Amino acid sequence: MKQNLAMNKEWEDILVYLEYHYGIIHPISPQLIGKSYELALSAGKNVYGVMAGKDVYKSKDQLKGFPLKKVFLYATEDEYFRSDLYEELITDCIYTTKPSVFLIGATPEGRALAPRIAARFKTGLTADCTELLIREYLNLVQIRPAFGGDIMAQIITPNARPQLATLRYGAAKSIEPVFEHRIEFINITKEKCMNKIEVINSEIFHETKGIAQQDILVVAGKGIRKKEDLSMLEELAKLLGGELASTRGLVEKGWMPIDKQIGLSGQTVKPKLLITCGVSGSLQFLAGIGGADLIIAINTDKNAKIFNIAHCPICGDLYEIVPELIKLIKNGQNSGLLKSNTN
C-alpha cells in the first residue's frame, strides 16, 4: 500500500519562494505571503520563505513586517537566474524545512523552476492556480480552470510531499507588512552546486504599467458591434483615469492586443473599479476578475452571467448608457458612485 504522506507529521508548515531581482523583491511575493499566511492560520502552521540571488541579505529590510517565521537566504555569485543552480538551492531548503506545501509565483522564473522541483521530489504540480484551500491532514486543494475554462478543477496531492503549486499574479491580494514580528534570517552559502548553464548576455527590460496594475478598467466584450466603437469605451476609460481592456473574443477578432485580455488565457486583474460593456461573463473571464473591488456591468441580456457577481448590474444598451456616462463625466458629475468607489 502506498504511504499517505498527509499523515506524516514531519512534513508540515508552508514554504514560499520569494523572487529577488537586482535588489528588489518581485511584487508577486507579498501576494504569495498573504495567501500562505491565510492557509497557515487556518491550519495552525508557520510560513517560511526562501530566496536566492546575489546580495540577498540586502532584502531583509524589504521583508520586515511580513508574517514569516524564518527566511532562508541563499547567496549566489551573480544576478542571473539559473534554473539548475536554483533547483539545487531550493531542494536543499526543502530538505531542511520539510514543508507540507511549497508555493511559487506563476512568473517566467517560477514556471521554469517549479517543474524541476516537482520532478526532483516526485510530487505533483498544479500550475497557474486561481485559488488555494487547506483541508484535513494539510491537504492542499489546488483550484484552477480546466477544459478551456468550462470547469474549475480541484486537485489534491495526498501521497507526496511537498504539495507544489504556482499561483497566478493577481489571484491573491498582497498582504501589508504591518506585523510586529521578528523574522529569523538564515544566511546560507553553498560552495558546490551543479551549474551547467552559461549566461552569455543579459538585458534589462523595464516593464510598463499594464492592465494588471490599473485601478480602473473598462472592459469591452462581444456586445461591441464594430472595431471603431472601441474608441467610445477608450474615451470613457481615459476620462476615469483608467485603461481599456477586453475579453478573449475581441482579441481573437484582432480588435484588441493580447496584453489587454482578461481571463484564464489573459491576465488576472484586481482593480478598484471594473466596468464591463457587453460582456456576458464566461467562466474563463470571471476567473480573471475575482479581485475587483467594484464591478459595474452593462449588458442587454438580463440573464448574463456577469450580473451574478456584479455589484451594480445595469440591464441596458451600452450604446445608450456609455455616451451618457461620458457626458456626465465631462460635465463634472462623476463625483458620486464612480469617484467615491475608486478612492
Side-chain angles (χ1 to χ4, degrees):
M1 176 181 283
K2 197 172 185 179
Q3 181 186 12
N4 188 335
L5 287 180
M7 302 295 291
N8 192 329
K9 294 299 182 181
E10 288 186 359
W11 293 82
E12 295 186 318
D13 301 316
I14 299 175
L15 180 65
V16 180
Y17 179 64
L18 307 171
E19 283 192 40
Y20 184 75
H21 302 289
Y22 300 99
I24 300 174
I25 295 174
H26 194 285
I28 200 172
S29 294
Q31 298 176 16
L32 287 169
I33 295 171
K35 175 52 68 174
S36 299
Y37 179 67
E38 175 188 320
L39 297 174
L41 202 61
S42 65
K45 302 300 177 182
N46 298 307
V47 180
Y48 300 106
V50 58
M51 182 185 294
K54 186 177 181 180
D55 297 331
V56 286
Y57 64 91
K58 294 181 180 180
S59 68
K60 294 180 181 180
D61 287 339
Q62 297 179 53
L63 291 173
K64 285 182 179 178
F66 286 112
L68 298 165
K69 186 175 179 64
K70 296 180 181 179
V71 175
F72 296 81
L73 303 173
Y74 286 83
T76 61
E77 295 180 356
D78 54 50
E79 298 278 6
Y80 312 123
F81 167 73
R82 303 173 189 262
S83 57
D84 56 348
L85 172 61
Y86 278 46
E87 175 192 340
E88 291 294 319
L89 302 179
I90 302 305
T91 295
D92 178 77
C93 185
I94 290 175
Y95 277 126
T96 300
T97 57
K98 287 185 167 61
S100 178
V101 174
F102 181 37
L103 299 184
I104 302 179
T107 61
E109 182 174 312
R111 289 173 176 142
L113 180 62
R116 301 181 73 107
I117 300 298
R120 190 70 173 261
F121 286 88
K122 295 180 172 61
T123 187
L125 165 63
T126 303
D128 287 338
C129 291
T130 56
E131 182 58 279
L132 299 168
L133 304 170
I134 283 284
R135 284 183 181 166
E136 191 178 16
Y137 304 124
L138 297 178
N139 279 320
L140 180 69
V141 183
Q142 302 148 64
I143 302 173
R144 62 150 297 146
F147 296 101
D150 290 334
I151 66 170
M152 297 297 287
Q154 296 190 12
I155 302 167
I156 61 172
T157 312
N159 297 311
R161 291 295 183 268
Q163 301 164 91
L164 187 56
T166 63
L167 188 68
R168 289 190 67 161
Y169 185 90
K173 290 190 176 183
S174 298
I175 193 170
E176 296 296 326
V178 295
F179 294 79
E180 295 183 2
H181 168 75
R182 184 175 181 180
I183 300 172
E184 180 182 353
F185 290 98
I186 301 172
N187 299 310
I188 303 171
T189 302
K190 302 292 287 185
E191 295 182 358
K192 295 181 179 180
C193 284
M194 177 181 70
N195 189 4
K196 297 180 180 179
I197 297 176
E198 178 185 356
V199 178
I200 298 174
N201 187 32
S202 69
E203 184 177 348
I204 299 175
F205 288 89
H206 297 284
E207 289 186 307
T208 57
K209 190 175 181 181
I211 61 173
Q213 290 78 41
Q214 291 288 343
D215 286 335
I216 300 174
L217 290 173
V218 175
V219 186
K222 287 186 177 180
I224 296 296
R225 297 168 190 164
K226 54 184 185 295
K227 185 177 180 180
E228 291 73 20
D229 296 340
L230 290 171
S231 60
M232 173 178 63
L233 301 187
E234 190 166 16
E235 182 180 7
L236 175 62
K238 288 182 177 180
L239 287 171
L240 292 170
E243 191 170 332
L244 179 64
S246 86
T247 59
R248 184 173 65 180
L250 298 193
V251 173
E252 291 176 342
K253 285 184 176 182
W255 292 4
M256 290 288 288
I258 184 65
D259 62 345
K260 303 295 185 183
Q261 180 184 327
I262 295 175
L264 299 179
S265 52
Q267 298 189 49
T268 301
V269 299
K270 48 179 182 177
K272 294 179 180 178
L273 172 64
L274 183 81
I275 303 177
T276 67
C277 303
V279 176
S280 61
S282 67
L283 185 61
Q284 199 266 2
F285 175 78
L286 296 181
I289 63 169
D293 291 340
L294 176 65
I295 301 173
I296 299 175
I298 304 171
N299 200 299
T300 55
D301 181 6
K302 64 179 181 181
N303 297 315
K305 293 180 181 178
I306 191 70
F307 286 158
N308 294 332
I309 67 165
H311 304 96
C312 182
I314 303 175
C315 188
D317 189 344
L318 71 91
Y319 284 90
E320 297 176 359
I321 295 170
V322 172
E324 287 301 316
L325 280 175
I326 291 173
K327 286 181 182 178
L328 289 172
I329 295 170
K330 286 183 175 180
N331 291 332
Q333 298 180 40
N334 65 322
S335 58
L337 178 65
L338 298 180
K339 187 175 181 180
S340 64
N341 282 282
T342 56
N343 290 331

